[in-house]
Amino acid sequence: GESVGLHLPTLSVQEGDNSIINCAYSNSASDYFIWYKQESGKGPQFIIDIRSNMDKRQGQRVTVLLNKTVKHLSLQIAATQPGDSAVYFCAESNTGNQFYFGTGTSLTVIP
Amino acid sequence: KAGVTQTPRYLIKTRGQQVTLSCSPISGHRSVSWYQQTPGQGLQFLFEYFSETQRNKGNFPGRFSGRQFSNSRSEMNVSTLELGDSALYLCASSLGPGVDGYTFGSGTRLTVV
């Protein structure tokens, strides 16, 4: 079956530093990955996605890296800000709209 | 345009009761998926609907059911509620199956006492 795991349940970073959140997935057939951010009391918010034909994709202050060889996904947040404090989930899919989510990493930004 | 709307936002029910949750997708979105989120767990897939048909179903007991209407609005129902059903129930919509990304609603917080 599918399993998506996060290496660290919590991460604390100083404001202004870069953050790296990691995610491992088990299904080598997965071809689409998304990172979501969830703030307290809100639903998950789409951050960035990547397809398996790419290794890297950049957004505004965020970069997603995909290593298909070791089935590893990471989210890099540049110049982390207090507003980045949230739980971050990775999700994988190989069946269209059915996604499998990890348990989440809680990011705390220290002012 | 309006996002995914879930109602109600909060709900308290007693064990053994049933509950119906509602989800209105983004206008034009025809695919709706439901997830259960509990503390310490990731999001667990419940089911997905497209064009009023259930396309996929997760590993939940038959007490969990859903449906989708012709206007793409969806409802999920949980019968014979158990304490363990207490969770945040999230709905997500997209244009259609296989179309990139989901947009999530804010969820319905269900507490079973």
Side-chain angles (χ1 to χ4, degrees):
Chain A
E2 306 271 356
S3 74
V4 180
L6 291 165
H7 291 194
L8 295 172
T10 62
L11 177 66
S12 295
V13 297
Q14 292 288 335
E15 181 178 357
D17 287 352
N18 297 333
S19 304
I20 299 176
I21 301 172
N22 296 304
C23 178
Y25 63 96
S26 62
N27 188 349
S28 57
S30 291
D31 59 4
Y32 182 49
F33 305 86
I34 302 179
W35 279 100
Y36 283 92
K37 170 186 180 183
Q38 187 174 24
E39 297 172 280
S40 181
K42 298 182 180 179
Q45 177 188 359
F46 175 97
I47 300 174
I48 191 168
D49 60 357
I50 189 168
R51 292 206 172 270
S52 58
N53 61 351
M54 301 174 68
D55 297 324
K56 178 180 180 179
R57 192 167 187 215
Q58 289 184 293
Q60 186 177 14
R61 286 200 305 117
V62 295
T63 300
V64 55
L65 298 177
L66 175 62
N67 185 329
K68 295 179 286 294
T69 303
V70 295
K71 296 197 285 289
H72 183 268
L73 193 67
S74 69
L75 176 70
Q76 300 178 0
I77 305 174
T80 313
Q81 303 169 359
D84 294 327
S85 293
V87 175
Y88 290 81
F89 295 92
C90 63
E92 62 171 312
S93 172
N94 72 330
T95 56
N97 259 26
Q98 184 173 348
F99 284 87
Y100 296 88
F101 288 79
T103 55
T105 292
S106 177
L107 174 66
T108 301
V109 181
I110 304 166
Chain B
K1 55 184 177 182
V4 178
T5 303
Q6 291 188 247
T7 57
R9 285 283 281 127
Y10 301 93
L11 204 51
I12 299 176
K13 289 286 189 178
T14 304
R15 265 185 307 175
Q17 287 186 311
Q18 73 161 7
V19 66
T20 299
L21 311 181
S22 179
C23 172
S24 294
I26 289 173
S27 178
H29 283 195
R30 297 172 59 199
S31 180
V32 173
S33 297
W34 288 89
Y35 287 83
Q36 181 195 65
Q37 186 177 31
T38 53
Q41 299 289 324
L43 284 82
Q44 298 185 65
F45 174 74
L46 281 157
F47 22 68
E48 177 201 354
Y49 287 90
F50 176 72
S51 292
E52 302 178 65
T53 301
Q54 188 179 89
R55 284 190 71 236
N56 289 301
K57 190 178 192 304
N59 296 322
F60 279 82
R63 301 184 296 108
F64 291 81
S65 62
R67 59 178 176 169
Q68 186 179 36
F69 302 95
S70 58
N71 61 357
S72 296
R73 190 178 70 87
S74 178
E75 290 182 344
M76 67 163 283
N77 183 276
V78 188
S79 62
T80 319
L81 283 165
E82 301 176 359
L83 295 179
D85 297 333
S86 295
L88 179 66
Y89 290 88
L90 290 159
C91 165
S93 75
S94 65
L95 286 169
V99 178
D100 296 358
Y102 277 153
T103 301
F104 279 90
S106 295
T108 293
R109 173 73 63 185
L110 172 65
T111 302
V112 182
V113 297

